[in-house]
């Protein structure tokens, strides 16, 4: 089992280039199979979740040609199977995007029902409500979602909760339905807009993505396209908070500053200086963070995927902070790990009350999920002494070259897989 071993104490400084957005890429890869022409997708992050999605697409008969580390060509004309097996869903929930993509294109699809996951129970009722509203029969049979329609028909649909996944999944199916679909109370995240732009580049007719209402005029066929994925705002935010936590000076490049606004506002709140340019943001943290209040919300609110990273900063802040997690019920598990490093935190329901401490001390901790894992590494970079992070497979799902990027900023972090390597690292840094 691989681990990260970290020697804390260095302030991170320098420039780091941000890759393509994982969550946009997962949906765009699924949508790519909806054309029978070849679609070329660029700026794909080279992370495990993306590779699993490419395997799922290959397994149903689409052709996948890797041009280089960040570019892929997909051709969906050879699809022979509309059944996505549990193996893929178990590894990445987002393979459920193939449900909307296959239903839109072939009017039938079967995808294993995703279970809960580390951050919460994660129902998918809104996805199914949307498919049914388009005229599909949707049943759960033997652990699978089975969706089928004679024809999909445009509809007027109001989502009960704002869901990124349901917005994208139903948008894909509606892109190839007959007539006009109006979806209200949709998610406005940048990756929802990116998927809509990608579908439009293949000939779909989708308007309003990025607002509360999306209008889709269905088309019969989608065609070839070449498309570049937007930068990952969560990867960018993670490095921006790494600067705040280590009293560093970090510039994230290849970003869209507009997508980072809620995080920038919080960084300023806790005392950082933030400088924006066209496609870069510099975060300078000269002193200990200040306490604040934060509540996770759908975009443009503060993202739940950035909750552990701000949690680490607030655990070191002067004064008492509160975090309210309003999206997923089980996203505070990392706080128990952080307590092992000396943090002083009390969780009450969906709120965490954090009394900032002066310093963390290195400890052995486990990554409970992807973003929390990255946050614990940042905590390790700020801690006194050595931190070992277990279960880093979670981090590798979503961060490309995480340790290399941190090292390029002056962080002392290595990936190890044996006691001998741990001892070697300890000797080297002592
Ligand atoms: C996506 C992101 C994830 C991020 C989350 C919220 C991907 C692959 N994952 O997840 O990283 O944390 O958005 O920004 O893009 N809900 C329902 N019924 C549904 C669907 C959702 O009740 O049918 C609830 C969820 O339990 C949750 C809330 O709606 O409380 C938001 O979830 P959603 O936006 O759907 O998250 P995901 O798309 O799963």
């Amino acid at each position: 089992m691989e681990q990260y071993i970290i020697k804390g104490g260095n302030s991170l400084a320098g420039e780091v280039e941000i890759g393509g957005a994982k969550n946009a890429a997962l949906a765009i890869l699924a949508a790519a199979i909806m054309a029978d022409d070849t679609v070329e997708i660029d700026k794909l992050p080279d992370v495990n979740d993306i590779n699993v999605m490419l395997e799922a697409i290959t397994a149903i008969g689409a052709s996948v040609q890797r041009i280089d580390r960040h570019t892929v060509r997909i051709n969906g004309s050879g699809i022979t199977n509309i059944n996505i097996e549990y193996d893929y869903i178990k590894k990445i929930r987002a393979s459920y995007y193939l449900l909307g993509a296959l239903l839109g294109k072939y009017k039938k699809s079967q995808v294993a029902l995703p279970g809960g996951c580390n951050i919460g129970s994660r129902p998918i009722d809104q996805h199914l409500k949307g498919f049914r509203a388009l005229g599909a029969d949707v049943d759960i049979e033997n652990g699978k979602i089975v969706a089928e329609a004679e024809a999909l028909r445009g509809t007027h649909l109001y989502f009960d909760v704002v869901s990124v996944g349901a917005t994208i999944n139903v948008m894909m199916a509606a892109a190839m339905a007959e007539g006009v679909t109006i979806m209200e109370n949709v998610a406005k995240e940048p990756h929802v807009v990116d998927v809509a732009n990608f579908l439009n580049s293949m000939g779909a007719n989708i308007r309003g993505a990025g607002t509360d209402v999306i209008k889709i005029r269905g088309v019969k066929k989608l065609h070839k396209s070449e498309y570049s994925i937007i930068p990952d705002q969560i990867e960018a935010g993670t490095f921006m908070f790494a600067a705040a936590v280590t009293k560093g000076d970090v510039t994230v490049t290849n970003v869209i500053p507009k997508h980072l606004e809620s995080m920038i506002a919080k960084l300023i709140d806790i005392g950082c200086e933030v400088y924006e340019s066209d496609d870069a943001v510099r975060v300078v943290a000269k002193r200990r963070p200040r306490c604040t209040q934060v509540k996770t919300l759908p975009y443009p609110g503060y993202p739940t995927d950035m909750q552990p990273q701000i949690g680490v900063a607030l655990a070191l802040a002067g004064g008492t902070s509160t975090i309210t997690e309003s999206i997923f019920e089980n996203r505070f598990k990392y706080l128990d790990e952080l307590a092992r490093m000396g943090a002083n935190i009390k969780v009450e329901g969906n709120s965490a009350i954090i009394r900032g401490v002066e310093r963390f001390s290195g400890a052995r901790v486990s990554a409970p999920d992807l973003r929390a894992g990255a946050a614990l590494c940042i905590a390790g970079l700020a801690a006194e002494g050595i931190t070992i992070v277990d279960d880093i497979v979670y981090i590798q799902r979503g961060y490309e070259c995480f340790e290399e990027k941190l090292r390029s900023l002056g962080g002392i972090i290595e990936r190890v897989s044996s006691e001998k390597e741990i001892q070697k690292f300890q000797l080297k840094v002592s």
Side-chain angles (χ1 to χ4, degrees):
M1 278 305 199
E2 289 187 319
Q3 299 156 310
Y4 281 136
I5 184 160
I6 300 163
K7 167 124 186 336
N10 284 4
S11 296
L12 298 190
E15 270 189 26
V16 62
E17 189 178 336
I18 300 307
K22 171 186 77 87
N23 287 346
L26 286 168
I28 284 174
L29 290 175
I33 62 110
M34 296 176 76
D36 280 338
D37 298 334
T38 298
V39 173
E40 186 170 306
I41 300 159
D42 185 25
K43 299 265 165 53
L44 208 60
D46 186 12
V47 295
N48 289 354
D49 275 12
I50 295 299
N51 296 326
V52 175
M53 180 58 102
L54 290 172
E55 281 169 30
I57 289 173
T58 309
I60 56 172
S63 94
V64 174
Q65 192 190 354
R66 201 103 197 201
I67 307 299
D68 60 38
R69 192 169 181 190
H70 299 124
T71 314
V72 76
R73 279 193 199 129
I74 292 176
N75 186 302
S77 62
I79 292 175
T80 46
N81 179 357
I82 47 94
N83 187 0
I84 307 298
E85 298 293 345
Y86 183 55
D87 273 358
Y88 299 109
I89 285 285
K90 210 166 55 176
K91 288 186 192 151
I92 50 159
R93 292 175 58 79
S95 35
Y96 64 28
Y97 282 138
L98 287 163
L99 192 62
L102 290 166
L103 181 65
K105 187 177 183 191
Y106 299 109
K107 314 303 169 217
K108 56 183 177 187
S109 60
Q110 291 189 13
V111 173
L113 187 68
C117 90
N118 289 7
I119 60 173
S121 67
R122 303 185 82 167
I124 59 159
D125 55 301
Q126 297 302 305
H127 303 233
L128 307 189
K129 170 178 161 167
F131 297 142
R132 288 189 178 115
L134 288 169
D137 287 325
V138 183
D139 291 308
I140 309 292
E141 288 170 16
N142 309 111
K144 280 185 181 172
I145 308 158
V146 181
E148 203 161 343
E150 291 259 313
L152 293 176
R153 295 209 169 79
T155 186
H156 194 138
L157 172 67
Y158 190 94
F159 287 109
D160 304 322
V161 286
V162 177
S163 158
V164 172
T167 302
I168 292 177
N169 226 345
V170 180
M171 179 168 78
M172 290 197 288
M176 293 187 82
E178 290 167 17
V180 174
T181 298
I182 294 172
M183 305 198 305
E184 299 207 45
N185 198 27
V186 293
K188 295 179 278 199
E189 267 68 1
H191 46 295
V192 172
V193 180
D194 208 33
V195 180
N197 287 342
F198 171 64
L199 284 163
N200 285 343
S201 80
M202 291 199 296
N205 186 344
I206 301 171
R207 300 285 168 261
T211 74
D212 291 312
V213 184
I214 295 181
K215 186 173 170 187
I216 304 159
R217 191 174 289 279
V219 296
K220 286 213 161 62
K221 229 173 151 235
L222 295 172
H223 55 65
K224 69 179 178 186
S225 165
E226 286 180 17
Y227 196 79
S228 279
I229 291 165
I230 52 164
D232 196 309
Q233 80 266 32
I234 305 300
E235 186 194 11
T238 302
F239 284 101
M240 287 156 64
F241 273 90
V245 170
T246 63
K247 301 199 187 89
D249 179 347
V250 172
T251 302
V252 287
T253 63
N254 181 43
V255 296
I256 299 173
K258 174 103 188 90
H259 295 168
L260 304 172
E261 269 175 0
S262 64
M263 302 171 227
I264 290 173
K266 278 296 152 200
L267 284 162
I268 293 171
D269 230 16
I270 63 173
C272 297
E273 291 165 25
V274 181
Y275 304 95
E276 292 179 39
S277 58
D278 284 352
D279 64 352
V281 174
R282 178 177 172 208
V283 179
V284 185
K286 293 189 176 140
R287 57 191 75 83
R288 185 181 181 195
R290 280 197 299 257
C291 59
T292 192
Q293 321 297 321
V294 60
K295 181 175 182 181
T296 61
L297 288 167
Y299 189 85
Y302 188 88
T304 175
D305 285 355
M306 284 299 302
Q307 189 257 101
Q309 299 87 324
I310 196 169
V312 168
L314 298 181
L316 284 176
T320 300
S321 304
T322 313
I323 300 181
T324 306
E325 172 54 60
S326 73
I327 311 288
F328 293 115
E329 72 271 21
N330 206 7
R331 231 173 170 171
F332 282 144
K333 272 202 238 163
Y334 74 97
L335 293 175
D336 291 330
E337 301 298 305
L338 213 52
R340 308 193 65 247
M341 299 175 75
N344 182 347
I345 295 156
K346 201 168 131 205
V347 175
E348 281 180 6
N350 68 344
S351 291
I353 298 134
I354 305 179
R355 255 179 238 285
V357 294
E358 294 262 353
R359 63 188 64 81
F360 293 145
S361 63
R364 185 159 179 171
V365 293
S366 293
D369 61 68
L370 164 61
R371 306 302 173 186
L376 289 171
C377 291
I378 295 171
L381 289 166
E384 280 176 2
I386 304 269
T387 294
I388 295 177
V389 182
D390 286 326
D391 297 333
I392 63 168
V393 65
Y394 286 116
I395 303 171
Q396 290 156 2
R397 289 180 58 170
Y399 289 91
E400 182 176 330
C401 298
F402 191 52
E403 69 272 23
E404 285 90 341
K405 288 184 179 184
L406 288 170
R407 272 203 299 270
S408 77
L409 297 171
I412 304 177
I413 173 168
E414 265 174 38
R415 197 193 293 198
V416 291
S417 51
S418 68
E419 200 51 44
K420 207 165 148 198
E421 284 177 336
I422 293 178
Q423 282 167 9
K424 211 165 120 193
F425 177 90
Q426 282 168 328
L427 264 180
K428 199 165 84 182
V429 299
S430 65

